[in-house]
Amino acid sequence: MITLLARTSLLAFVIGTPAAYAQESADPLIIVTGKGLDQTKGDPAYGSVEIDRARLTSEASGRIENILADVAGFQQFRRSDSRSANPSAQGATLRALGGNASSRTLVLLDGVPQADPFFGYIPFSAITPERLSSIRVTRGGGNGAFGAGAVAGTIELNSAGRTDLPDAALSAFYGSGNASELSAGLAADLGAGFVSISGRRDRGDGFYTAPSATRQPTDVRAAYDSWSTGLRAVAPLTDGVELQFRGLLFQDNRTLRFAGADSSSEGQDASIRIVSQGRWQVDALAYIQARNFTNIVISATSFRKTLDQRNTPSTGVGGKIEVRPPVGGDHQLRMGVDARLSEGELFEDVYSGVTGLITARRNAGGNSATFSVFAENDWTLGDLTLTGGIRADRWTITNGFFAERATNGTVVRDDVFADRASWQSSARVGALYTATDGLAFRAAAYTGFRLPTLNELYRPFTVFPVATRANEALNVEKLRGVEAGFDVRPANGVTLGATLFYNRLNDAIANVTIGNNLRQRGNVDAVIAKGIELSSEAQFGAVSVAGSYAFSHSKVRASGIASGLNGLTPAQSPRHAANATVRWTPSADAILSATARYVGAQFEDDLEANILPSALTFDGFAQIPLTRQIALTGRVENILNEQVVTRKVGTSIDLGTPRIFWIGLKFSAR
């Protein structure tokens, strides 16, 4: 385990170095961007959806996961956001390839994977929209420079550059349920580079997740209290070459339904990146992540503590080197290596729901790693661009163990699992044909894979009354997919896109029912998802309209112990999802917008015993400038107070975000 001292020293180094360098740099002719390398000519063949900064800064909830829901087909394991969900359930996926809480979508922030090294969930509460310039979502399997884990797609989050950031920014909001949201940021030029620091604090008494008709005296509001602070610095090394540093500290505390059902997550992340935009383009990246998680489970019958997952430390270390050599005007070659190492373990105490005393103590954990080489080439032939890439990954799962002892010290289990290792190859090919200036056709085929997380391998968990066992023998998930689509611009300011897709996820990891209120993680033969995705954008002067729709028909193919799932729909996989946002911007600082989101019915469980009904919600956002630097802002979430069911087991139901009003002020100085 990397020691706390080493983590702290590295974080201090990456935070301090760029500022010192920038102060030494005095060349005013060198301009830095703070970005990575540009898209290649072949990237559009795989289709993507862009979310711009205007949308990032005008979301009613102010939360990144709800903005990502603008891309129809994006989903977390449950419908709750990061105020009322258990953090370990906040995996991200696309194309109805759900079924468990781990991320099947690779989420990157400035090239750094954001998934928790142990659980695979995304710390959404630590990723604040105002720190970003844009988001690009590419659905479908990825490889090449995307790395392992992108079986459902890739979400690329890009930090705001100097032109996006005011010298000083401050916002303060007050909302329903005694909620508050405070954020502040400072940005300054340092030589030819810049440095920015920002912080945010969110807290609230929350809302009752249990319906009023079934609420118990022990039910409490889903209170939350989280904070994060980030520092980013960019400095030139030479003309066209820049050094980028980023540091992030965060902590998140939540209470879920019952008094004492508290969870927490925290992290200390740092990364260093060198980007060369010269004739030989280079993107070299290294990062470290230190994370922890705690969780207390309360019985829904005795209302006593039954499990205290009191400590789950984990560490992620990795990096990437991508090189784009000058190979000629018709070709664009990218090649490189990447690696990611994860380690973690859990410490938990099991309690009797009757006596409230500890009955057992558990300790489990292990290591996993991927080491990869990749190459991809784009070939432009007039209006036709062909692209193809291949990668080879060496993966390892090592040092796995599970130990359980009674309170008197008696060993109940002391399992040491065999190390595993293998090679996994993946590839993708695509074609983009630009028929006219306003019409392009694209097609792609790809494979990909995802390593099971340490959480899936070694950590059992309970969402009362259902207990789910881990499975140290899980196989790697492997995806094969094809898609075809077009993008058309029928008029100035209007764009439309459509994609047909077929994805098959072999050895998909699911929570398989093996007994009454008992499940175990296991590999089903496959999850097959096929469907269509539509997107549209239009700009009419000061009015813009954007929308998307996804139809996903997903089925499980299963045999053996999981044969009862054959032909069923994967858990937490809606067939229909749609959204639309209308925004009116009469001036630079005045905004009025409304967003509608629809999610179709989906099954809570693998056996289709419990249905979560469809939900249609509406949000509103309004901003009125009071002075050149101050704006009054109002936000409304779930305007019609739609009942959104997020969990259902028998008669036990949890609800999502109700109607919430926000009022606040924004200050910005340049």
Side-chain angles (χ1 to χ4, degrees), residues 28-50:
L29 299 178
I30 299 177
I31 299 175
V32 301
T33 66
K35 301 189 300 183
L37 297 179
D38 293 335
Q39 271 192 296
T40 66
K41 296 178 181 178
D43 281 344
Y46 303 104
S48 62
V49 178
E50 298 277 349

Side-chain angles (χ1 to χ4, degrees), residues 99 471 474-475 507-515 518-527 555-571 605-608:
N471 185 350
L474 290 171
N475 294 325
D507 288 324
I509 298 171
N511 298 330
V512 180
T513 298
I514 59 175
L518 181 62
R519 298 174 187 164
Q520 183 177 30
R521 298 185 182 96
N523 295 102
V524 299
D525 295 342
V527 170
K555 292 295 180 182
V556 175
R557 295 289 178 262
S559 57
I561 192 174
S563 59
L565 307 183
N566 191 55
L568 301 184
T569 300
D605 60 311
D606 59 323
L607 294 177
E608 300 186 352

Side-chain angles (χ1 to χ4, degrees), residues 374-495:
F374 62 85
E376 189 166 58
N377 182 57
D378 300 340
W379 187 14
T380 302
L381 299 165
D383 296 328
L384 176 66
T385 298
L386 303 176
T387 179
I390 189 169
R391 66 179 286 126
D393 289 82
R394 176 68 174 177
W395 62 261
T396 62
I397 298 174
T398 59
N399 301 322
F401 70 94
F402 184 97
E404 182 175 335
R405 288 173 171 78
T407 52
N408 62 6
T410 302
V411 176
V412 179
R413 286 182 60 181
D414 191 11
D415 300 334
V416 177
F417 306 118
D419 293 347
R420 292 187 284 159
S422 185
W423 284 94
Q424 182 68 44
S425 62
S426 51
R428 67 176 185 174
V429 294
L432 177 70
Y433 175 64
T434 305
T436 68
D437 288 341
L439 177 62
F441 297 94
R442 47 185 164 77
Y446 38 74
T447 63
F449 83 101
R450 183 182 75 88
L451 207 61
T453 64
L454 301 177
N455 172 52
E456 292 168 322
L457 292 165
Y458 307 123
R459 171 187 170 257
F461 72 95
T462 300
V463 179
F464 201 87
V466 180
T468 302
R469 296 175 178 173
N471 185 350
E472 74 284 351
L474 290 171
N475 294 325
V476 171
E477 294 184 338
K478 298 175 286 292
L479 178 97
R480 291 181 293 175
V482 294
E483 64 182 63
F486 66 86
D487 299 289
V488 61
R489 190 172 65 249
N492 288 336
V494 179
T495 59

Side-chain angles (χ1 to χ4, degrees), residues 140-481:
N143 66 91
F146 287 137
V151 293
T154 306
I155 298 175
E156 299 170 86
L157 310 173
N158 303 303
S159 289
R162 183 64 181 98
T163 56
D164 298 316
L165 298 171
D167 297 338
L170 176 66
S171 67
F173 286 87
Y174 184 78
S176 308
N178 195 31
S180 61
E181 176 192 307
L182 299 173
S183 65
L186 296 172
D189 298 324
L190 291 178
F194 69 90
V195 62
S196 67
I197 185 169
S198 60
R200 177 162 159 167
R201 169 79 181 276
D202 296 271
R203 66 155 308 280
D205 294 342
F207 57 92
Y208 287 104
T209 59
S212 57
T214 60
R215 197 171 299 158
Q216 302 291 326
T218 51
D219 287 334
V220 297
R221 295 176 180 271
Y224 62 95
D225 190 345
S226 64
W227 63 265
S228 65
T229 184
L231 184 147
R232 188 163 185 260
V234 180
L237 297 178
T238 63
D239 188 15
V241 181
E242 61 188 49
L243 189 65
Q244 303 174 6
F245 289 89
R246 186 174 57 82
L248 175 67
L249 306 174
F250 68 88
Q251 185 169 25
D252 191 332
N253 300 284
R254 309 177 197 176
T255 299
L256 305 178
R257 185 165 181 167
F258 299 119
D262 301 325
S263 68
S264 73
S265 59
E266 64 178 51
Q268 304 88 39
D269 296 2
S271 65
I272 177 174
R273 188 183 197 186
I274 296 176
V275 178
S276 172
Q277 301 283 4
R279 191 164 176 265
W280 280 75
Q281 295 187 327
V282 178
D283 186 348
L285 170 71
Y287 62 87
I288 181 171
Q289 299 162 325
R291 304 283 178 84
N292 206 335
F293 172 81
T294 70
N295 185 55
I296 295 175
V297 178
I298 300 295
S299 167
T301 54
S302 69
F303 305 108
R304 290 180 178 269
K305 183 191 301 184
T306 59
L307 187 65
D308 183 0
Q309 296 169 332
R310 53 187 170 82
N311 193 20
T312 315
S314 63
T315 303
V317 178
K320 178 192 78 168
I321 300 176
E322 177 183 344
V323 179
R324 300 182 185 179
V327 293
D330 294 335
H331 290 270
Q332 191 171 17
L333 176 66
R334 60 197 301 191
M335 55 188 181
V337 297
D338 65 67
R340 179 171 172 85
L341 296 82
S342 300
E343 62 176 359
E345 59 181 323
L346 69 87
F347 300 87
E348 65 180 21
D349 299 331
V350 182
Y351 287 76
S352 167
V354 177
T355 65
L357 300 176
I358 295 176
T359 60
R361 299 185 188 276
R362 297 171 180 164
N363 180 209
N367 300 65
S368 67
T370 57
F371 302 89
S372 316
V373 294
F374 62 85
E376 189 166 58
N377 182 57
D378 300 340
W379 187 14
T380 302
L381 299 165
D383 296 328
L384 176 66
T385 298
L386 303 176
T387 179
I390 189 169
R391 66 179 286 126
D393 289 82
R394 176 68 174 177
W395 62 261
T396 62
I397 298 174
T398 59
N399 301 322
F401 70 94
F402 184 97
E404 182 175 335
R405 288 173 171 78
T407 52
N408 62 6
T410 302
V411 176
V412 179
R413 286 182 60 181
D414 191 11
D415 300 334
V416 177
F417 306 118
D419 293 347
R420 292 187 284 159
S422 185
W423 284 94
Q424 182 68 44
S425 62
S426 51
R428 67 176 185 174
V429 294
L432 177 70
Y433 175 64
T434 305
T436 68
D437 288 341
L439 177 62
F441 297 94
R442 47 185 164 77
Y446 38 74
T447 63
F449 83 101
R450 183 182 75 88
L451 207 61
T453 64
L454 301 177
N455 172 52
E456 292 168 322
L457 292 165
Y458 307 123
R459 171 187 170 257
F461 72 95
T462 300
V463 179
F464 201 87
V466 180
T468 302
R469 296 175 178 173
N471 185 350
E472 74 284 351
L474 290 171
N475 294 325
V476 171
E477 294 184 338
K478 298 175 286 292
L479 178 97
R480 291 181 293 175

